[in-house]
Amino acid sequence: MDSPQGVKNTFAAAASTATTDTTSSSESPPVQESPFFNYVNNLSPIKPVKAAHVAHGFPGFSSPPLVFTSPHINSHREASLLRRTQYSQSPSVESYQNENVGKRYDHHDSKKSSSLLPNELVNDAQKDCDFKNYANTQSCSSSVCVDEYLADHVKVDCDNPVHSFEPEVKQSDEVPKSSVGGLNNLRESILTFEDKNVGGENVRMPVVSSEQMLQEERGVEQPHKEVPDLKSSLSLTLASQKQQFEESFAQGVRECEDYGENTDVTSNVSAENTVLNDYEVSQKHRGVRRRCLQFEEASSNTFRNSPSSPHAAKIVINSRAAPSSSESKSLHSSHVALNATSTKKQMVKLSQPITSLFLPRCSGNSPLAGSKRPGIGLHLNSIVNAVPLACATSTSMRLAEDCMSVQSMKPASTMNSHVQNIQGCSISSNALTEASAGNEDERPETSALIAATSTISESPTTMEPLYLLNHFENPATLHDKRKLSSEHAESFEELNQPSPRKKKKKSPSTSDGDGCKRCNCKKTKCLKLYCDCFAAGIYCAEPCACQGCFNRPEYEDTVLETRQQIESRNPLAFAPKIIQRLNMFPAHNGEEGNLTTPSSARHKRGCNCKKSMCLKKYCECYQANVGCSSGCRCEGCKNIYGRKEEYVATEHALSCDMVSSRVVEERFDGTFNHKLESVANNTDLPCPELYDLQNLSPITPSLQFTDHGKGAAKSRLLSGKYLLTPGSDVTVLSSGTKFTRSPRNSENNNVLLGTSKEVQDAGSFDWRMDYNNVGTMDQSSPICDTDGNVCNLTPLSDPPSSAKASSISSRTRDWNRYPQTQACHRSGHLLSGGSLRWRSSQITAATQLGETKYLECFDSDSRLYDILEDETPEVLKETAPPIKSVKVSSPNKKRISPPNVDMHDRSSSSGGLKSGIKYILKAVPSFPPLTPCIDSKSSGDKSEGN
DNA sequence: GAGTTTGAAACT
DNA sequence: CAGTTTCAAACTC
């Protein structure tokens, strides 16, 4: 590989727009010479940006589908990690872990050291532990169970999960001796652990002990022996999480199980392919068996129907990855990896539901996590519907990474991002565990949650870009996890096939089998929007056939710069192109969930097809599986998903129906807001859901509205927030269709921001937020964080209304008062606000204000009105003006459809809300173009404009 | 796999 | 703002 610098330079020279090297090259560690690193790096990119978002996202997990999933990332890492772990069990790994805990990986270390995975695992485990600690007893119990599972403990002391374990243990025993030995080691370690902690009590606090163990290990860097302990502990935590997750998941969604099983199978296959040795394979099998047994048992305990089995299968797969090395180690690592992967997979499968579940908890526990991945703007690819696939790409942009606390690590950052993703997964798992922590007994709640989430998340399809996710370290939003997981699967394959560009071609763009897109750029170096990967905010991955690609973690700086430049020109450039509009009612069309429904989603800009009649993928609307809207300038539109005319009509109808009292209530009812708030507070709504809700709720209009009347605005904002909260959302917005509908919504977790513009902003915000606030994020719930970040950003950015800002600031303070949940609401507001520009721009300025940010956000929202008017996608606007809407599309701008309706009018009427139609932007992961965006926005151009 | 078509993105 | 060029995906052969 060229040295990054050199490449950058050349690239910069080559790329007209792009690239500024300045920062650069130096940053990116040259490391990558080894193909492996390159490979890894490729994977890593995703992490940074998206991860952060994702984190919140989890909530998302729901995330969206599509877009590109960078395949490799997760799977590869896991696999590589596992393998490496085998090789290097050495304390170094532990040290990494330790470091990771406090920090993140160094590039070199991460890259070079195979330990990465372990680190990730460790981190996850640690996080999990933290969560568990937070959760305390409950989690502990679960963890204990997990430990037992892993250990196959002799003791089944723990009645709960433990019992199930016994059988597993037996099986494990059956496993080949070699493997058995490893198992035994693990068991021993576990046992010791248990003994220490519990001393044979049925219910233990293993978690704590596990954590302690981990800490000890970290601190001391004990030799291999300890490693197993750590691993075991990790595995235990992971296992516990898995169990919890599985349980809840099983309850909530069987379908997911099926899906998961399928995936598992596939993963297994791939794993096999990857599998190095029969020996390893055997180990895997063992692990699988165990896990299967364990999980099965666990699941059986809780719910057998469910997914547990699938999980086990998944686990097994994971185990494969971890083939070798010392059995015990391998086992541990495998367990960990498996756990991680399993969780991820689950996440992926269940993703939406899970995320939602997690998010709430995450938000509750750790504020931050939640931050939605605001940033992520989905590209067309991301389009919820269109991409049913799950490829959520894991690829995260480094950009995010830079922003990320871990700035120091560049290349590593990518790794970190991956790790983060993983962590996120773990986190999510933790959240689940926490939720379920209570053990089986407690499960009911979790299960209920899960069920709820599952219902909400129904659509698995949604994917999210990773970049944004990466931003949030913690966040590791579910989305990220999901993506990662999905990617992991792919990554495995990729790993197998080191050559990056092989695939190339277009796997059908948006989705390869995975549903991940891959670019084939030749001249743009993947630094322009021509590149789907770049546009989606993800790094190019191996599958990409691009030439001279700079959209890689190594070139984070370049990518960021380029991105910023693009955003400076068009703040919405990275915003999700497709906005989902949720109908309050299931579907006037009768097609509730179907994104395809014309009413369900729209392309932000609209297409401009002339020859394809919107019946081919040339049409972005068609490609996104969305109907054409008034914003489209297509000729002879025959979009099967909905024609412009239809769209208008539907809007009309919807508006009539929807507008009804609810909107009014929302607007006016302070009580409503209160309810929402209470709901938000109470409910652990996963961020994603919130997002969804937000998305659903025609927030933007509300925001605008709020702008008009500040007081009202606040209330609305609140409402928006409420919307964010799942429960509130449901109540408020729609009645329930929302959740179900939005598979996308789930995706949207990333989307959080909701409206396209909003989304974009959010995406950018998130990124920025993450970067700036990474630390803060941790503190606050992820969602909130993101929101908060966004808010912060917004104020700054908003140039226009300084006065507003002031007023807003006061408001923001109020917001600050609000708990994280509120923050989430804020995010919703943001979404509703829809003026992405502002936010984005604001983002730059505001970084960290946190609370104040929220307030600002509102302000920004007001500004957003302006923006919305300008930028808001036609779709959004359309939604607002239910009837008239016929075509809002601005004549001039091809893409940008100027808002037909007066924002004020709409806002006042909250027409958008009333209409009941909600659009969700699936934002493409927008990089955090830190500052520049604002200006452009302030300029007021419609995003596209020129 | 190469070549053509298409429409978005970028540029002027 | 409009028009043109460039680009890469989608499509066809």
Side-chain angles (χ1 to χ4, degrees):
Chain A
M1 297 298 289
D2 293 348
S3 65
Q5 293 176 343
V7 172
K8 288 180 180 178
N9 293 340
T10 55
F11 176 83
S16 61
T17 58
T19 77
T20 59
D21 302 328
T22 60
T23 56
S24 60
S25 54
S26 62
E27 291 177 353
S28 64
V31 175
Q32 304 92 354
E33 292 176 355
S34 66
F36 177 83
F37 281 111
N38 292 341
Y39 184 85
V40 170
N41 290 341
N42 292 340
L43 295 177
S44 64
I46 295 167
K47 293 177 180 180
V49 174
K50 293 179 179 178
H53 295 291
V54 170
H56 296 308
F58 297 142
F61 265 110
S62 48
S63 68
L66 6 181
V67 185
F68 310 75
T69 59
S70 61
H72 18 287
I73 300 166
N74 294 340
S75 61
H76 291 291
R77 286 182 180 177
E78 290 177 352
S80 63
L81 292 177
L82 293 175
R83 292 177 183 176
R84 290 180 179 178
T85 56
Q86 292 174 343
Y87 293 100
S88 64
Q89 290 172 342
S90 64
S92 64
V93 171
E94 291 176 352
S95 65
Y96 280 105
Q97 293 174 344
N98 293 340
E99 291 176 354
N100 290 342
V101 171
K103 294 178 180 178
R104 291 189 178 178
Y105 309 99
D106 292 348
H107 292 290
H108 298 287
D109 293 350
S110 63
K111 290 179 180 178
K112 293 177 180 178
S113 64
S114 60
S115 63
L116 294 176
L117 291 176
N119 290 343
E120 291 176 351
L121 293 175
V122 171
N123 291 341
D124 293 347
Q126 290 174 344
K127 290 179 180 179
D128 293 346
C129 293
D130 294 346
F131 287 99
K132 289 178 179 178
N133 290 340
Y134 178 82
N136 294 340
T137 59
Q138 292 177 341
S139 63
C140 293
S141 64
S142 64
S143 65
V144 170
C145 295
V146 171
D147 293 346
E148 291 176 353
Y149 287 100
L150 294 176
D152 290 352
H153 293 307
V154 174
K155 293 178 181 179
V156 178
D157 294 350
C158 300
D159 292 346
N160 300 344
V162 172
H163 293 289
S164 62
F165 293 108
E166 292 176 352
E168 292 177 351
V169 169
K170 291 177 181 178
Q171 290 177 344
S172 65
D173 291 346
E174 291 175 356
V175 173
K177 291 178 181 179
S178 63
S179 64
V180 170
L183 294 174
N184 292 339
N185 293 340
L186 293 174
R187 290 178 182 176
E188 290 176 355
S189 64
I190 295 166
L191 292 174
T192 57
F193 175 82
E194 290 177 351
D195 293 345
K196 292 177 181 178
N197 292 337
V198 174
E201 292 177 355
N202 291 341
V203 174
R204 295 175 184 175
M205 302 300 291
V207 171
V208 171
S209 62
S210 65
E211 292 177 350
Q212 292 174 345
M213 295 296 290
L214 294 174
Q215 292 175 346
E216 291 176 354
E217 290 177 352
R218 293 175 182 173
V220 175
E221 288 184 353
Q222 294 173 344
H224 299 285
K225 290 179 180 178
E226 291 178 355
V227 172
D229 293 346
L230 292 175
K231 292 179 180 178
S232 64
S233 64
L234 293 174
S235 63
L236 292 174
T237 57
L238 294 175
S240 64
Q241 292 175 344
K242 290 180 178 178
Q243 290 176 342
Q244 292 174 342
F245 178 83
E246 289 177 352
E247 291 175 353
S248 63
F249 182 82
Q251 291 176 343
V253 177
R254 290 180 181 177
E255 292 177 351
C256 294
E257 292 177 353
D258 293 347
Y259 176 82
E261 290 177 352
N262 293 341
T263 58
D264 291 346
V265 172
T266 57
S267 64
N268 290 335
V269 171
S270 63
E272 290 176 353
N273 293 340
T274 59
V275 171
L276 297 177
N277 296 334
D278 293 348
Y279 170 79
E280 293 176 350
V281 172
S282 65
Q283 288 177 340
K284 291 179 180 178
H285 291 290
R286 296 177 194 170
V288 171
R289 289 180 182 176
R290 280 186 173 181
R291 292 178 181 176
C292 293
L293 293 175
Q294 292 173 345
F295 288 97
E296 290 176 354
E297 290 176 353
S299 65
S300 64
N301 290 342
T302 58
F303 301 89
R304 288 190 179 180
N305 293 343
S306 60
S308 61
S309 64
H311 291 289
K314 293 176 180 178
I315 292 165
V316 170
I317 294 166
N318 293 338
S319 64
R320 290 185 283 180
S324 67
S325 70
S326 62
E327 291 176 352
S328 64
K329 290 179 181 179
S330 63
L331 292 175
H332 294 291
S333 63
S334 64
H335 288 290
V336 173
L338 292 175
N339 291 340
T341 57
S342 65
T343 56
K344 291 178 181 179
K345 291 178 180 178
Q346 291 174 345
M347 294 301 291
V348 172
K349 294 175 181 178
L350 298 180
S351 63
Q352 293 172 339
I354 294 167
T355 54
S356 62
L357 292 177
F358 290 104
L359 292 177
R361 292 219 173 209
C362 293
S363 63
N365 293 345
S366 62
L368 285 210
S371 59
K372 334 181 149 195
R373 22 208 64 62
I376 298 167
L378 297 182
H379 201 24
L380 292 179
N381 296 342
S382 66
I383 296 166
V384 175
N385 295 340
V387 187
L389 310 181
C391 305
T393 64
S394 57
T395 63
S396 57
M397 301 299 289
R398 288 182 180 177
L399 297 178
E401 293 176 352
D402 292 347
C403 295
M404 302 293 289
S405 61
V406 180
Q407 295 171 341
S408 63
M409 340 185 316
K410 291 178 180 178
S413 65
T414 57
M415 295 303 293
N416 291 340
S417 64
H418 291 290
V419 171
Q420 289 174 345
N421 292 341
I422 294 167
Q423 291 174 344
C425 295
S426 66
I427 293 167
S428 63
S429 64
N430 291 340
L432 292 175
T433 57
E434 290 175 353
S436 62
N439 290 342
E440 293 174 353
D441 294 347
E442 294 176 354
R443 288 178 183 176
E445 294 175 353
T446 56
S447 62
L449 293 175
I450 294 166
T453 56
S454 63
T455 57
I456 294 166
S457 63
E458 290 176 354
S459 66
T461 58
T462 60
M463 301 291 292
E464 293 175 354
L466 297 181
Y467 295 152
L468 298 180
L469 296 178
N470 292 345
H471 290 289
F472 298 92
E473 294 172 351
N474 295 346
T477 59
L478 297 179
H479 294 287
D480 292 347
K481 293 177 180 178
R482 291 178 183 175
K483 291 178 179 178
L484 291 176
S485 63
S486 64
E487 289 178 354
H488 288 292
E490 291 177 354
S491 63
F492 285 101
E493 293 176 352
E494 292 176 353
L495 290 176
N496 293 342
Q497 298 173 345
S499 65
R501 300 176 178 167
K502 303 176 179 174
K503 299 180 176 179
K504 315 204 143 214
K505 271 187 161 204
K506 349 185 146 215
S507 37
S509 70
T510 52
S511 61
D512 292 353
D514 295 351
C516 299
K517 256 186 185 179
R518 273 110 187 187
C519 69
N520 190 25
C521 303
K522 294 177 180 178
K523 294 181 179 178
T524 60
K525 310 215 170 173
C526 299
L527 291 178
K528 292 190 176 183
L529 293 176
Y530 293 121
C531 176
D532 289 340
C533 297
F534 179 79
I538 61 174
Y539 289 111
C540 292
E542 292 178 353
C544 295
C546 49
Q547 297 176 357
C549 178
F550 282 85
N551 184 24
R552 291 180 179 274
E554 300 94 307
Y555 306 100
E556 270 186 293
D557 294 342
T558 300
V559 172
L560 292 175
E561 289 177 358
T562 302
R563 193 177 175 100
Q564 290 177 352
Q565 290 178 354
I566 294 170
E567 285 183 345
S568 64
R569 280 186 235 147
N570 178 6
L572 296 179
F574 293 95
K577 291 181 179 178
I578 294 171
I579 298 168
Q580 276 189 335
R581 138 180 129 175
L582 295 181
N583 293 336
M584 296 302 290
F585 299 91
H588 56 288
N589 291 343
E591 295 174 353
E592 293 175 349
N594 293 346
L595 295 180
T596 60
T597 310
S599 62
S600 63
R602 289 289 183 279
H603 191 278
K604 179 174 66 177
R605 293 178 181 177
C607 65
N608 191 25
C609 303
K610 293 178 180 178
K611 294 180 180 179
S612 65
M613 300 174 81
C614 300
L615 291 175
K616 293 186 178 181
K617 284 190 174 181
Y618 294 121
C619 175
E620 289 187 353
C621 295
Y622 178 84
Q623 190 172 23
N625 295 332
V626 300
C628 291
S629 64
S630 62
C632 296
R633 284 164 280 299
C634 50
E635 295 177 357
C637 178
K638 292 181 181 179
N639 188 338
I640 60 174
Y641 296 105
R643 297 178 186 178
K644 289 189 286 185
E645 299 79 4
E646 291 176 352
Y647 175 78
V648 171
T650 56
E651 277 186 347
H652 221 12
L654 291 176
S655 64
C656 295
D657 294 347
M658 298 301 293
V659 171
S660 64
S661 61
R662 291 181 182 176
V663 171
V664 173
E665 290 177 352
E666 291 177 352
R667 293 177 181 174
F668 299 96
D669 293 351
T671 56
F672 176 80
N673 293 339
H674 294 290
K675 290 178 181 178
L676 293 176
E677 290 176 353
S678 63
V679 171
N681 294 338
N682 294 340
T683 60
D684 291 346
L685 299 180
C687 299
E689 291 177 352
L690 294 176
Y691 294 102
D692 292 349
L693 293 175
Q694 292 174 343
N695 292 339
L696 296 176
S697 62
I699 295 165
T700 52
S702 65
L703 292 176
Q704 293 173 344
F705 183 81
T706 57
D707 290 348
H708 295 290
K710 291 179 180 179
K714 289 179 180 178
S715 63
R716 289 183 180 177
L717 291 175
L718 294 174
S719 63
K721 292 178 178 179
Y722 294 108
L723 294 177
L724 292 177
T725 61
S728 62
D729 291 347
V730 171
T731 57
V732 173
L733 291 180
S734 44
S735 0
T737 55
K738 298 172 182 177
F739 292 98
T740 57
R741 281 187 190 166
S742 51
R744 294 178 181 175
N745 292 346
S746 62
E747 291 176 352
N748 292 345
N749 294 341
N750 293 339
V751 174
L752 299 180
L753 297 182
T755 61
S756 62
K757 292 179 180 178
E758 291 174 352
V759 171
Q760 291 175 339
D761 293 348
S764 62
F765 288 100
D766 292 349
W767 290 78
R768 295 173 184 175
M769 296 293 293
D770 294 349
Y771 294 101
N772 294 337
N773 295 337
V774 171
T776 59
M777 293 298 293
D778 293 349
Q779 294 173 346
S780 62
S781 64
I783 295 168
C784 296
D785 292 349
T786 57
D787 293 348
N789 291 337
V790 171
C791 295
N792 292 338
L793 295 175
T794 55
L796 295 178
S797 62
D798 295 345
S801 61
S802 63
K804 290 179 180 178
S806 63
S807 63
I808 292 166
S809 64
S810 63
R811 292 179 182 176
T812 56
R813 291 176 184 174
D814 294 346
W815 288 101
N816 292 341
R817 293 177 184 175
Y818 292 94
Q820 294 173 340
T821 57
Q822 292 175 341
C824 296
H825 294 292
R826 292 174 184 175
S827 63
H829 292 293
L830 293 176
L831 293 175
S832 64
S835 61
L836 297 177
R837 294 176 182 175
W838 295 98
R839 292 176 184 175
S840 63
S841 62
Q842 290 173 344
I843 293 166
T844 58
T847 58
Q848 304 177 340
L849 296 180
E851 293 175 352
T852 57
K853 292 178 180 179
Y854 293 98
L855 296 177
E856 290 175 353
C857 293
F858 293 98
D859 293 348
S860 63
D861 292 347
S862 62
R863 293 177 182 176
L864 293 178
Y865 291 105
D866 296 346
I867 294 167
L868 291 176
E869 291 176 354
D870 294 349
E871 292 178 352
T872 53
E874 292 175 354
V875 173
L876 295 175
K877 292 176 180 179
E878 290 177 355
T879 58
I883 296 171
K884 293 178 179 179
S885 59
V886 174
K887 288 182 179 179
V888 175
S889 61
S890 63
N892 294 345
K893 296 176 182 178
K894 294 178 180 178
R895 292 180 181 174
I896 297 167
S897 59
N900 293 342
V901 174
D902 293 347
M903 295 305 290
H904 297 287
D905 294 350
R906 292 179 182 175
S907 65
S908 63
S909 63
S910 67
L913 295 175
K914 289 178 180 179
S915 65
I917 297 167
K918 297 174 182 178
Y919 292 93
I920 297 168
L921 294 180
K922 292 185 173 182
V924 173
S926 59
F927 290 76
L930 304 178
T931 54
C933 298
I934 296 167
D935 295 347
S936 62
K937 290 180 179 178
S938 64
S939 63
D941 293 348
K942 307 130 173 216
S943 57
E944 294 175 353
N946 302 329

